[in-house]
C-alpha cells in the first residue's frame, strides 16, 4: 500500500496532513488547506488513488473551517 503517490499528489496540490494504512486494509488520514485544494485532493482520493490501490468507498468526515494549519507538510504515518 505505497502512500508515496498520495504524498506526491498532496504536495502538488499544496495541502498538508497525513495518511496511514490501517490493519483492516483501509487508509485513514487528515488533509488541511484551502477548501478548493482540499476538494481536489478528495476527488483524487475518491477516483484515482495510488496505482496499486482499489477504491471501493471513500468517507470524508469531521470537515470544518480552521484558522490555522496544524501541519507543515504531508507525510505517511506508520
Amino acid at each position: 500500500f505505497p502512500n508515496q503517490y498520495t504524498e506526491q499528489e498532496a504536495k502538488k496540490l499544496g495541502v498538508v496532513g497525513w495518511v496511514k494504512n490501517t490493519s483492516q486494509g483501509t487508509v485513514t488520514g487528515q488533509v488541511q488547506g484551502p477548501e478548493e485544494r482540499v476538494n481536489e485532493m478528495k476527488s483524487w482520493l475518491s477516483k484515482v488513488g495510488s496505482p496499486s490501490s482499489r477504491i471501493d468507498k471513500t468517507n470524508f468526515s469531521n470537515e470544518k473551517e480552521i484558522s490555522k494549519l496544524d501541519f507543515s507538510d504531508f507525510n505517511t504515518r506508520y
Side-chain angles (χ1 to χ4, degrees), residues 18-32:
W18 56 272
V19 67
K20 179 181 180 180
N21 295 309
T22 71
S23 56
Q24 294 82 33
T26 61
V27 178
T28 187
Q30 189 170 356
V31 177
Q32 295 182 349

Side-chain angles (χ1 to χ4, degrees), residues 31-69:
V31 177
Q32 295 182 349
E35 185 177 15
E36 182 183 317
R37 297 288 186 208
V38 169
N39 286 337
E40 287 182 50
M41 188 68 190
K42 284 165 59 177
S43 178
W44 185 86
L45 289 166
S46 300
K47 299 176 181 142
V48 185
S50 65
S52 62
S53 68
R54 189 183 87 223
I55 304 166
D56 295 324
K57 180 178 83 165
T58 53
N59 178 24
F60 301 104
S61 59
N62 301 326
E63 295 187 45
K64 61 182 188 277
E65 296 261 336
I66 55 173
S67 56
K68 68 176 189 60
L69 299 174

